[in-house]
């Protein structure tokens, strides 16, 4: 029997499954809370719900996580600084915000000049960098470096800068050219910044899984799901954290597809922090041609055609200045969860309601300490005092202000929250589920007390608050699924997004379907795709959203642990592509470069007289390189290849002319295969 373990660590829960590849069934599964202060503890709790003797026989383990996704959506990843070389402030001022660069204090500039071919015409002032490095990066937790044409010279200047910064500051440094080779310098820079910011988080997750496996004497080879739904080994993942940006959504698409067995499907995964949507076409996850855009960041990471937005069971429920309800984007610890481990929370909430049943501020919320290493960080005196206060347990917002001797209106802990040093607890959809009896695992009394304060502050009844929360979640899922389908159906919407007119039409459809609107014009967008819900609370909200869309809805039996299943049903893949085209120039007869066809691949150019020779040479080179890349990513099993050839043509007077031939080679290796290293299957 071939067993594999799947583990998914999300913002709220850590799920584990034991999967039998021979029968294609889940033998056992379990859920546990994600423990941010020590991820190993939550992973062990999830593993302990599985059959340990069978887990110790597992040959492989697939991992996925939404920690990186959540950190970017909430803008809470570790903050590195960016060193830009050859790019000036004017370029960032004009285009930077489109790629996520909105804070000028996060960028350092070092002038230099290189050509588009990578030739260095003016070296940076290395002495300036050496003398100023400590000052420039004194409050950073990492450094990313991007030189405008670094992808053309193997990152020569980036590597020199990295060596100096590491010597002077001892910070971890990421070179953009080591990650991606695309032309867009700002996309490379954004990808490097995210990689530097997410590395501590990703490495912490990988170390936690390794420790948990060691404690339970599990010796399975481990792989991590990438954003494009393929897998990578742990050594590779430890240096390419940005590749995990949509690891969780990719795993949910794989797991949902496996469970639903549908040719066309929309996978909706609702977790604690985000809701992730992916499309299945012809039985496989649909991939995007563009790099990931998550939160404000635009990157070069290839991924599923997927969308993640900040809505989940742990999204904070608040009210704006007009008293209108908001849900998210911030994640909070549910009051019911906090009170179950810190009983003083109940007493504090009871006292608050007796003294002050409502307020313009969210006084029902609490602050908790999350990072134990806060003493090693650069903090203000007030931030240090706050961390000291929270070392003794959760403290309400009102009590925190009093202890620090400041007015509650002037209490600002956003900086500590953004870096994950402290976490906030408050009313969430999980608490509303406890009120309604749909989910009652934790301390329901805390949910009731918190909801009473929030409802009174918004001038709602408890029943109105609960109904509005459930309705708004279904409404936002409907809009997000509709937008995904429109973008898939129309290149216009994929490029420009949903405009105000289409947004209004979708709102009318929602009203007509849920409120039985009496408009004289009745219409409805409909989808033939099955809407598949996975994740713990999705069954409470997705049927209403699917009905408004006129689509069938499926909630599989193993929906709560579908991500963990997806983590073990993926494959390791690497795709390379290149073009063969007429070169349009005469080659001297006394050279070996004779022929009318040109192949530009891996920075080199080769000429051929016959197209068949060009195709054969290029295909073989790409197969060798794709296989080598898979081995570098951790593949140890059999490698198979899928080869696509596509001609690009244009109309001409005599019919059509061929402009170029594109060759695309995809190398694949399954997680469950046990072939010996180096075994390659030619397809």
């Amino acid at each position: 029997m071939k067993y594999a373990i799947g583990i998914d660590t999300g913002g709220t829960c850590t799920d584990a499954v034991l999967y039998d590849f021979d029968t294609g069934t889940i033998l056992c599964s379990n859920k546990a809370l994600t423990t941010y202060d020590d991820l190993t503890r939550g992973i062990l709790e999830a593993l302990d719900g599985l059959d340990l003797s069978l887990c110790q026989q597992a040959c492989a383990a697939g991992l996925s996580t939404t920690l990186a996704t959540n950190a970017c959506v909430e803008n809470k990843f570790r903050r590195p600084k960016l060193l830009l070389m050859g790019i000036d402030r004017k370029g960032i001022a004009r285009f930077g915000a489109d790629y996520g660069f909105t804070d000028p204090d996060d960028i350092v500039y070092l002038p230099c000049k290189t050509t588009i071919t990578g030739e260095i015409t003016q070296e940076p002032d290395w002495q300036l960098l050496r003398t100023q490095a400590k000052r420039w990066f004194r409050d950073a937790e990492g450094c990313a470096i991007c030189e405008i044409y670094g992808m053309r010279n193997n990152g020569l200047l980036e590597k020199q800068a990295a060596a100096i910064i590491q010597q002077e500051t001892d910070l971890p440094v990421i070179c953009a050219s080591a990650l991606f080779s695309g032309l867009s310098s700002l996309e490379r820079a954004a990808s490097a910044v995210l990689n530097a910011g997410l590395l501590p988080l990703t490495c912490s997750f990988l170390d936690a899984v390794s420790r948990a496996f060691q404690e339970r004497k599990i010796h399975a080879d481990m792989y991590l799901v990438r954003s494009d739904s393929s897998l990578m080994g742990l050594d590779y993942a430890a240096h390419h954290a940005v590749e995990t940006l949509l690891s969780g959504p990719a795993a949910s698409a794989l797991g949902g597809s496996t469970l639903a067995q549908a040719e066309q499907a929309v996978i909706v995964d609702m977790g604690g922090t985000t809701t992730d949507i992916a499309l299945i076409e012809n039985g496989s996850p649909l991939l995007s041609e563009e790099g990931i855009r998550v939160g404000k960041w635009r990157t070069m990471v290839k991924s599923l055609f997927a969308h993640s937005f900040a809505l989940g069971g742990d999204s904070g429920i608040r009210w704006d200045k007009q008293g209108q309800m908001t849900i998210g984007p911030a994640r909070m610890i549910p009051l019911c969860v906090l009170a179950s481990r810190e009983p003083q929370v109940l007493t504090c909430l009871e006292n608050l309601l007796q003294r002050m049943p409502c307020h313009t501020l969210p006084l029902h919320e609490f602050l908790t300490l999350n990072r134990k290493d806060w003493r090693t960080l650069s903090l203000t005196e007030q931030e240090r005092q706050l961390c000291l206060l929270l070392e003794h347990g959760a403290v309400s917002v009102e009590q925190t202000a009093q202890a620090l001797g400041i007015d509650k209106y002037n209490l600002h802990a956003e900086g500590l929250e953004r870096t994950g040093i402290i976490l906030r607890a408050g009313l969430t959809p999980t608490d509303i589920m406890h009120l309604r009896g749909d989910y009652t695992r934790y301390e329901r009394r805390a949910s009731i007390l918190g909801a009473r304060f929030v409802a009174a502050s918004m001038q709602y009844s408890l029943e109105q608050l609960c109904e509005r929360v459930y309705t708004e979640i279904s409404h936002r899922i409907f809009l997000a699924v509709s937008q995904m389908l429109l973008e898939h159906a129309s290149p216009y919407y994929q490029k420009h997004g949903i405009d105000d007119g289409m947004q209004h039409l979708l709102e009318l459809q929602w009203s007509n379907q849920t409120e039985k609107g009496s408009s004289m014009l009745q219409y409805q967008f409909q989808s033939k795709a099955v809407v598949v819900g996975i994740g713990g609370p999705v069954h409470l909200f997705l049927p209403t959203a699917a009905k408004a869309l006129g689509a069938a809805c499926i909630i599989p039996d193993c929906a709560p642990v579908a991500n963990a299943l997806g983590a073990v049903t993926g494959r390791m893949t690497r795709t390379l592509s290149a073009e063969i085209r007429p070169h349009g120039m005469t080659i001297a007869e006394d050279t070996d470069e004779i022929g009318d066809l040109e192949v530009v691949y891996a920075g080199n150019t080769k000429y051929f007289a016959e197209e068949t020779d060009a195709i054969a040479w290029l295909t073989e080179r790409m197969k060798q390189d794709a296989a080598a890349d898979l081995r570098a990513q951790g593949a140890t099993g059999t490698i198979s290849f899928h080869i696509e050839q596509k001609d690009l043509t244009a109309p001409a007077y005599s019919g059509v002319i061929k402009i170029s031939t594109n060759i695309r080679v995809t190398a694949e290796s399954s997680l469950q295969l046990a072939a010996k290293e180096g075994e390659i299957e030619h397809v």
Side-chain angles (χ1 to χ4, degrees):
M1 303 290 283
K2 294 179 180 178
Y3 301 131
I5 300 166
I7 293 177
D8 173 67
T9 294
T12 301
C13 292
T14 294
D15 305 335
V17 300
L18 182 64
Y19 187 71
D20 184 345
F21 275 114
D22 289 338
T23 62
T25 57
I26 295 176
L27 300 179
C28 48
S29 63
N30 191 36
K31 295 179 77 72
L33 283 178
T34 297
T35 48
Y36 280 87
D37 60 324
D38 180 8
L39 292 174
T40 302
R41 194 170 75 253
I43 294 167
L44 284 171
E45 290 175 5
L47 283 173
D48 288 344
L50 308 182
D51 187 319
L52 179 59
S53 63
L54 295 182
C55 286
Q56 292 172 341
Q57 299 176 42
C59 58
L63 316 175
S64 70
T65 178
T66 61
L67 295 176
T69 313
N70 299 343
C72 291
V73 169
E74 298 181 86
N75 203 28
K76 289 184 178 179
F77 57 90
R78 307 281 176 93
R79 276 293 182 181
K81 278 197 171 181
L82 171 65
L83 176 66
L84 283 179
M85 307 170 70
I87 306 172
D88 60 21
R89 287 176 171 81
K90 292 181 180 179
I92 292 295
R94 186 174 179 183
F95 303 110
D98 292 337
Y99 297 86
F101 300 113
T102 56
D103 189 346
D105 292 336
D106 288 341
I107 303 175
V108 176
Y109 299 87
L110 188 65
C112 70
K113 290 183 180 179
T114 52
T115 68
I116 195 170
T117 60
E119 181 184 355
I120 301 168
T121 59
Q122 178 186 317
E123 291 266 349
D125 187 339
W126 296 121
Q127 185 58 30
L128 176 66
L129 177 61
R130 190 175 298 279
T131 57
Q132 297 297 318
K134 285 186 173 67
R135 183 174 68 86
W136 285 348
F137 301 101
R138 65 178 179 269
D139 56 350
E141 294 186 75
C143 175
I145 304 175
C146 181
E147 189 260 304
I148 186 168
Y149 296 123
M151 75 292 183
R152 297 294 197 194
N153 55 30
N154 198 29
L156 181 61
L157 296 181
E158 292 178 357
K159 292 174 183 176
Q160 288 180 257
I164 292 173
I165 293 171
Q166 285 177 320
Q167 289 172 6
E168 298 298 326
T169 68
D170 203 30
L171 286 173
V173 181
I174 299 297
C175 295
S177 61
L179 298 174
F180 300 101
S181 58
L183 288 174
S184 172
S185 56
L186 292 185
E187 282 190 3
R188 277 186 283 117
S191 303
V193 167
L194 286 180
N195 199 74
L198 295 171
L199 267 179
L201 195 65
T202 301
C203 291
S204 175
F205 169 63
L206 298 179
D207 291 344
V209 178
S210 298
R211 287 195 299 271
F213 275 30
Q214 289 174 0
E215 287 194 31
R216 295 297 180 266
K217 295 181 172 56
I218 298 171
H219 305 291
D221 293 331
M222 289 181 277
Y223 302 86
L224 184 61
V225 178
R226 302 169 75 171
S227 296
D228 63 357
S229 77
S230 65
L231 303 174
M232 57 182 169
L234 261 60
D235 289 341
Y236 187 86
H239 296 92
H240 295 77
V242 72
E243 296 276 8
T244 70
L245 273 176
L246 293 184
S247 172
S252 69
L254 291 168
S257 177
T258 300
L259 292 173
Q261 294 293 305
E263 285 295 302
Q264 290 185 310
V266 181
I267 309 296
V268 179
D269 176 17
M270 187 175 186
T273 309
T274 62
T275 295
D276 308 316
I277 304 173
L279 301 184
I280 303 297
E281 194 167 56
N282 299 322
S284 299
L286 189 67
L287 299 180
S288 173
E289 295 297 324
E290 303 294 327
I292 291 175
R293 183 153 197 164
V294 58
K296 67 178 184 178
W297 299 96
R298 183 173 166 185
T299 74
M300 282 190 165
V301 181
K302 298 302 180 184
S303 72
L304 299 180
F305 184 64
H307 177 49
S308 293
F309 59 104
L311 178 69
D314 293 353
S315 296
I317 300 172
R318 283 179 160 181
W319 57 98
D320 59 23
K321 293 180 180 179
Q322 288 73 42
Q324 298 300 307
M325 183 185 72
T326 63
I327 304 178
R331 174 193 175 271
M332 299 185 187
I333 301 172
L335 291 173
C336 56
V337 174
L338 184 65
S340 67
R341 63 189 189 214
E342 299 199 39
Q344 80 275 11
V345 168
L346 281 174
T347 303
C348 186
L349 287 172
E350 289 170 348
N351 292 337
L352 173 66
L353 283 171
Q354 290 174 2
R355 293 183 296 102
M356 200 179 304
C358 64
H359 202 275
T360 56
L361 292 177
L363 300 182
H364 65 292
E365 294 178 358
F366 292 76
L367 301 178
T368 66
L369 186 63
N370 180 51
R371 285 179 61 178
K372 298 177 181 178
D373 64 344
W374 65 268
R375 285 184 172 83
T376 66
L377 305 176
S378 177
L379 303 178
T380 66
E381 181 57 31
Q382 186 178 99
E383 288 174 335
R384 294 183 67 83
Q385 290 300 319
L386 174 54
C387 291
L388 280 171
L389 175 67
L390 298 181
E391 280 195 325
H392 303 291
V395 182
S396 74
V397 169
E398 186 179 26
Q399 291 173 333
T400 299
Q402 291 173 352
L404 296 178
I406 60 176
D407 190 280
K408 54 180 174 287
Y409 287 95
N410 295 324
L411 176 63
H412 299 292
E414 294 83 359
L416 293 174
E417 292 181 69
R418 186 174 60 248
T419 53
I421 296 173
I422 67 173
L423 299 177
R424 186 176 290 260
L427 190 73
T428 68
T430 297
D431 290 298
I432 302 301
M433 294 175 212
H434 278 70
L435 260 74
R436 285 196 153 187
D438 292 322
Y439 182 58
T440 55
R441 181 173 179 177
Y442 302 104
E443 181 52 74
R444 184 170 179 264
R445 288 170 56 210
S447 299
I448 295 172
L449 294 171
R452 284 173 55 191
F453 181 85
V454 172
S457 298
M458 288 191 284
Q459 299 182 348
Y460 292 166
S461 67
L462 272 180
E463 292 75 14
Q464 286 176 320
L465 175 64
C466 293
E467 184 61 31
R468 285 175 183 263
V469 169
Y470 271 43
T471 300
E472 178 60 17
I473 293 174
S474 296
H475 173 222
R476 286 169 62 177
I477 292 174
F478 161 77
L479 291 176
V481 171
S482 300
Q483 178 176 335
M484 281 283 293
L485 292 173
L486 281 168
E487 290 180 356
H488 176 52
S490 168
Y492 174 85
Y493 289 121
Q494 190 168 348
K495 180 178 180 180
H496 300 286
I498 304 302
D499 55 33
D500 291 342
M502 181 56 70
Q503 184 78 19
H504 185 62
L505 283 177
L506 293 175
E507 293 287 1
L508 284 175
Q509 175 163 333
W510 171 262
S511 297
N512 286 335
Q513 296 299 313
T514 60
E515 300 172 16
K516 298 181 180 179
S518 58
S519 171
M520 293 178 66
L521 176 63
Q522 297 290 323
Y523 73 95
Q524 184 176 13
F525 291 110
Q526 289 184 309
S527 176
K528 294 181 180 179
V530 177
V531 181
V532 182
I534 60 178
V538 73
H539 64 285
L540 300 172
F541 312 108
L542 189 60
T544 301
K547 182 180 179 182
L549 191 60
C553 180
I554 297 176
I555 310 293
D557 290 340
C558 295
V561 294
N563 279 35
L565 171 64
V568 296
T569 55
R571 296 170 64 85
M572 304 190 78
T573 67
R574 175 65 168 137
T575 299
L576 299 174
S577 63
E579 280 188 338
I580 301 169
R581 54 179 180 256
H583 59 76
M585 59 184 290
T586 302
I587 305 300
E589 291 291 336
D590 58 349
T591 73
D592 294 332
E593 298 176 341
I594 300 175
D596 297 324
L597 297 170
E598 170 186 71
V599 177
V600 179
Y601 175 70
N604 299 312
T605 302
K606 193 171 179 64
Y607 300 91
F608 295 87
E610 299 293 334
E611 185 180 49
T612 53
D613 293 337
I615 292 173
W617 179 85
L618 180 59
T619 301
E620 186 59 32
R621 276 292 306 273
M622 288 197 293
K623 286 171 66 175
Q624 292 174 4
D625 291 347
D629 287 348
L630 272 192
R631 295 302 183 206
Q633 292 171 23
T636 57
T638 300
I639 295 177
S640 61
F641 297 94
H642 177 67
I643 301 167
E644 298 177 77
Q645 178 178 328
K646 185 176 181 180
D647 293 334
L648 177 63
T649 60
Y653 290 112
S654 58
V656 295
I657 58 172
K658 183 188 292 187
I659 297 175
S660 65
T661 297
N662 181 271
I663 306 296
R664 185 183 180 94
V665 173
T666 299
E668 294 187 346
S669 180
S670 295
L671 179 110
Q672 71 268 32
L673 298 181
K676 293 181 180 179
E677 175 99 19
E679 183 178 350
I680 296 180
E681 174 188 341
H682 295 276
V683 176

